[in-house]
Amino acid sequence: MAKVQVPSSVIAAGGLVGGYGVARWTKKRPLGGAVLAVAGAAAAQQWRQRAGGKAAGALAVAYVAAFAGSHPLARKVGAWPSVFGVAGAVALASWAVADRRA
């Protein structure tokens, strides 16, 4: 039976959206951070396997920058639009660099 992997773009976007959602709904920011970190590590593993170390490093920086950048952006557009926007940007970058090759 073939092994089906969730695309790294879905994992990365899910980590950003899920991390924020968990932090907001549980009111426990560290729990949301754990979701963000676990998803980021899982995505990074796939990035490294599919596109190499340099690409994985660049995508990991983009993932962390998206998380950090969502905070000031949220003041302008709102929390959820900000999170969805940065998650979409990271998903697109991940797909372009790693997933479309799979």
Side-chain angles (χ1 to χ4, degrees):
M1 183 170 273
K3 181 179 176 185
V4 178
Q5 274 192 329
V6 176
S8 62
S9 55
V10 173
I11 295 169
L16 289 161
V17 173
Y20 175 70
V22 166
R24 180 175 177 138
W25 291 316
T26 65
K27 304 205 184 315
K28 297 190 183 327
R29 291 178 68 161
L31 190 55
V35 170
L36 183 80
V38 168
Q45 182 179 17
Q46 284 191 25
W47 295 331
R48 189 177 64 253
Q49 290 170 350
R50 293 181 179 168
K54 284 185 181 182
L59 288 168
V61 166
Y63 184 78
V64 172
F67 167 70
S70 69
H71 292 82
L73 182 60
R75 287 187 219 113
K76 296 178 188 252
V77 300
W80 280 113
S82 173
V83 170
F84 285 128
V86 300
V90 168
L92 181 61
S94 181
W95 175 83
V97 173
D99 291 341
R100 71 179 174 160
R101 298 174 185 208

